[in-house]
Amino acid sequence: MQYLVSVIFDENSTQATPDEDAAIDIFNERLQAQGNWVFAGGLASPDAATVIDNRDDAAIISDGPFLESKEYLAGFWVIEAPDLDVALKLAADGSKACNRKVEVRPFQ
Amino acid sequence: MSTHEAITLAHQEEWARVVASLTKRFGDLDIAEEAAAEAFATAVERWPTDGVPPNPGAWLTTTANRKAIDRLRRENKRDDKHKEAQLTHDSPEPPSIFDDDRLRLIFTCCHPALAIEARVALTLRMVGGLTVPEIANALLASESAVGQRITRAKAKIKAARIPYRVPSAQDLPTRVSGVLTVLFLVFNEGYLATGPDTAPLRHDLTAEAIRLTRLIRTLLPDNGEVTGLLALMLLTEARRTARVSASGELVALDEQDRGAWDTRLIAEGHQLVRERLAAGVAPGRYQILAAINAVHTSARDMRDTDWSQVLALYDQLVRVDPSPVVALNRAIAVAELDGPEVALATVDRLEEQLTGYHAFHATRADLLRRLGRSQESRAAYDKAVELAGNTAETAYLTRRRDQLRS
């Protein structure tokens, strides 16, 4: 079973520090060693986002995120876990490592 | 015993067991719930003519299993379901020493990933065996809202794969405390029901909460907080009939007819409190609350109450749970020992945090009344009446206000 662990940047968050980066590296290595690792990545700020809508075969490009919000996705993990309890334990450690709130959501 | 009584008894004793064993076998709460309901419906149909089977629980489980298999055959996805069930059971953790299916069921229904309202509804349905209309009535919610809450919770359990197992020893204390929160919530709603159109005390809810807490105690007999909560519920339930007057008014502790208290429940509650004291382990919140209630139920009247013991217990409780509500209740004991003036000073310091809580204003009103400050007392009673949600309590507060000398 795979879970998406979204890292949420909220009003209590600050830009990532070198300490956080180091803690995330350690956490990632653990995920890989334990076989929970699928994929992970950090995202640039929403200011760097571009929206494209090509549903009518005429791609319309617009600047900025599709949702203006104080809280946004700052990065994510995709993890492999046998059930939600295991996923929540890993996510709790991930939240601690990156010093952010995270959301755990199962893949269909 | 009549057949009807036998069915009621079987429902009380076997419902959770049937749902739990089917959930384990089929890995699906939906199938388990539906098949269990069908099995009981079959019992209602057949037992009056065929007679009550010698082992009702085994009969119900077998019948429910058959119903579930019938349904899966009908839906023609038996293989898929079995695969899914298999997956659900591949638990990476070693089996717990408390390996009872009903315990798994309770922990799944009270999983912290579910909203508290969903946990309450799901527990009453899956573990308590209450129907959706009964739960809607209990929670003063519409049937469709309750039905939806339960359906969504079951869907989340499936989609997010909330495991069907007893938590690891490391997680057990927090998870048990989550279960007890659900049961205490059910009990409290029965103890002091909210809403203008409901009976002030709801025996159906307090009885159900006690029954489920007893069940958890048989499954986790060494857990002090489970025992503490059961003792607390029993010692509170013991005073039920004395708590509301014939005219439907709440009767405060000092005015209750102590002869009307249920001595059997009190004896059992005291026994449980003694058991926890003998265990010699630092008590948690429910055990301390139970001990406070044990002191109250040991006293012949209000004056006979060992208030210094009550205060010592509240001091202990403040260390475990430093909430303003605990501080407010502690102040009531302070008033008995050091007088209303000292207590009022403590209560007034809680105003900012408790200004929306009716009991804060009711306590202040009573202290001001005892200090002869009628005008301020009246204003506090007004505020308490305005905020109180329980009909019997409103009647009590109104009378106390109207008895004030101007």
Side-chain angles (χ1 to χ4, degrees), chain B residues 360-389:
Chain B
F360 165 76
H361 298 283
T363 307
R364 268 197 89 231
D366 187 56
L367 295 171
L368 289 163
R369 177 188 61 79
R370 286 155 73 175
L371 289 166
R373 291 157 64 175
S374 300
Q375 220 163 354
E376 291 163 272
S377 174
R378 187 184 309 277
Y381 273 123
D382 282 340
K383 195 83 194 154
V385 169
E386 189 189 313
L387 292 168

Side-chain angles (χ1 to χ4, degrees), chain A residues 1 3 82-85 89 106, chain B residues 111 159-163 165 171:
Chain A
M1 181 99 180
Y3 296 86
D83 60 49
L84 186 65
D85 279 0
K89 270 219 168 64
Chain B
H111 197 278
R161 197 173 292 174
I162 289 179
R165 69 157 172 266
D171 293 338

Side-chain angles (χ1 to χ4, degrees), chain B residues 92-315:
Chain B
E93 303 199 6
S96 156
I97 45 164
F98 317 109
D99 215 0
D100 185 290
D101 290 339
R102 288 172 297 174
L103 209 47
R104 293 167 184 251
L105 185 64
I106 290 165
F107 281 111
T108 302
C109 291
C110 294
H111 197 278
L114 301 171
I116 184 78
E117 301 84 8
R119 280 183 246 169
V120 170
L122 198 62
T123 303
L124 290 176
R125 175 73 194 123
M126 307 305 280
V127 187
L130 272 65
T131 61
V132 169
E134 282 169 340
I135 298 167
N137 185 36
L139 304 177
L140 304 172
S142 74
E143 281 180 32
S144 64
V146 168
Q148 211 168 48
R149 232 180 259 173
I150 293 174
T151 308
R152 279 200 193 137
K154 285 190 295 195
K156 178 165 183 182
I157 288 171
K158 210 169 180 177
R161 197 173 292 174
I162 289 179
Y164 189 58
R165 69 157 172 266
V166 174
S168 62
Q170 182 200 345
D171 293 338
L172 202 60
T174 15
R175 293 290 304 279
V176 168
S177 131
V179 171
L180 299 183
T181 303
V182 168
L183 297 176
F184 198 37
L185 212 65
V186 173
F187 184 85
N188 270 334
E189 189 47 35
Y191 170 74
L192 207 62
T194 42
D197 301 320
T198 179
L201 306 184
R202 300 278 310 276
H203 177 54
D204 52 340
L205 288 182
T206 54
E208 183 61 24
I210 289 173
R211 195 174 72 79
L212 293 178
T213 310
R214 277 193 197 282
L215 169 64
I216 294 172
R217 182 172 140 76
T218 58
L219 301 171
L220 297 172
D222 298 329
N223 186 294
E225 280 297 83
V226 175
T227 304
L229 180 61
L230 179 59
L232 172 61
M233 287 177 175
L234 294 173
L235 294 173
T236 311
E237 182 74 355
R239 296 176 304 205
R240 182 167 57 90
T241 47
R243 279 186 55 236
V244 174
S245 72
S247 58
E249 189 181 294
L250 201 72
V251 184
L253 190 61
D254 57 334
E255 293 177 325
Q256 280 177 22
D257 170 13
R258 296 184 179 221
W261 289 357
D262 186 325
T263 49
R264 197 180 47 85
L265 291 180
I266 289 175
E268 191 188 351
H270 285 182
Q271 172 58 37
L272 294 174
V273 170
R274 277 197 297 274
E275 181 189 313
R276 288 317 307 163
L277 285 174
V281 185
R285 183 165 165 257
Y286 295 121
Q287 291 166 80
I288 300 170
L289 284 169
I292 291 170
N293 277 273
V295 176
H296 284 304
T297 45
S298 302
R300 278 190 311 274
D301 56 43
M302 193 76 168
R303 279 183 307 282
D304 181 50
T305 305
D306 186 351
W307 288 104
S308 57
Q309 179 69 26
V310 172
L311 188 61
L313 287 164
Y314 269 115
D315 286 339

